[in-house]
Amino acid sequence: MTRIYRTRSAETWAKARDDYLAGCSAETVCRRYDLGLAGFRLRARRYGWRRCDQVTPPPGEADLALYADIDLEAQIKTAGLRFVEALEGGKAVEARRWRRLWIELDETRAQMRELWTKDMTPLDKVAYLVTPPEEEPETEEEARLLPLSPENEGATGQE
């Protein structure tokens, strides 16, 4: 069986290098950018893409501010994607760990929702669960399509 030789742009290789040095596995990087694993490893060896050469901050001085914008929903989605990725890669132990984290994060989300909604009326709970705060309607047309809640009772479209 003959394999087709793939030529990738310098931009693609630069993105692959950055992702690899940021901590992604070689297999993940190759899958993401459609690269051959042997070619990737050869290039990494040739150009010295080694994680051990990267400057790491001293213990206790890690800048965690870059994770400030990662909300619980994004964490759940990432854990789910990593679970599927490990499962497809045949890494059963890793897949099991990601699945466990995915389930724990989902349970945390359910507990948080329960805490947030415990003092709400049933109508408020439905409105909260159907329309998350980050998805508020931007136009009057979108507001008419939402279920009735105390906030948008007047936006039924019937005048």
Side-chain angles (χ1 to χ4, degrees):
M1 178 152 86
T2 307
R3 293 198 135 205
I4 298 172
Y5 181 75
R6 296 179 282 191
T7 304
R8 299 292 177 248
S9 68
E11 295 168 355
T12 301
W13 284 108
K15 289 177 184 177
R17 179 198 63 224
D18 293 343
D19 285 356
Y20 178 69
L21 294 176
C24 289
S25 68
E27 293 86 2
T28 302
V29 171
C30 289
R31 208 171 316 127
R32 183 177 296 158
Y33 296 105
D34 192 29
L35 304 171
L37 184 59
F40 178 81
R41 291 196 188 280
L42 180 68
R43 187 173 286 245
R45 191 176 325 118
R46 182 182 304 148
Y47 294 111
W49 301 347
R50 298 179 350 151
R51 293 185 192 136
C52 64
D53 293 338
Q54 302 305 306
V55 177
T56 57
E61 294 185 21
D63 182 20
L64 301 179
L66 69 122
Y67 301 112
D69 63 337
I70 301 175
D71 63 346
L72 185 59
E73 295 299 323
Q75 292 174 24
I76 294 169
K77 181 179 178 182
T78 301
L81 292 173
R82 296 288 176 130
F83 162 67
V84 171
E85 183 179 286
L87 200 60
E88 287 178 348
K91 300 176 181 175
V93 174
E94 186 178 331
R96 188 173 180 188
R97 289 178 183 151
W98 281 114
R99 184 176 182 276
R100 189 178 311 131
L101 177 63
W102 187 23
I103 290 169
E104 287 176 9
L105 288 171
D106 197 42
E107 288 172 354
T108 301
R109 175 178 53 189
Q111 290 170 356
M112 290 174 69
R113 279 188 179 160
E114 189 176 315
L115 284 172
W116 289 333
T117 60
K118 73 177 182 180
D119 295 332
M120 291 183 178
T121 65
L123 189 60
D124 289 340
K125 284 183 184 181
V126 169
Y128 172 75
L129 294 174
V130 170
T131 309
E134 63 270 2
E135 295 180 13
E136 290 296 324
E138 294 181 8
T139 65
E140 193 173 312
E141 181 66 28
E142 290 176 6
R144 273 193 300 204
L145 298 175
L146 293 175
L148 288 179
S149 69
E151 294 83 27
N152 62 358
E153 273 185 21
T156 61
Q158 301 171 357
E159 279 115 56

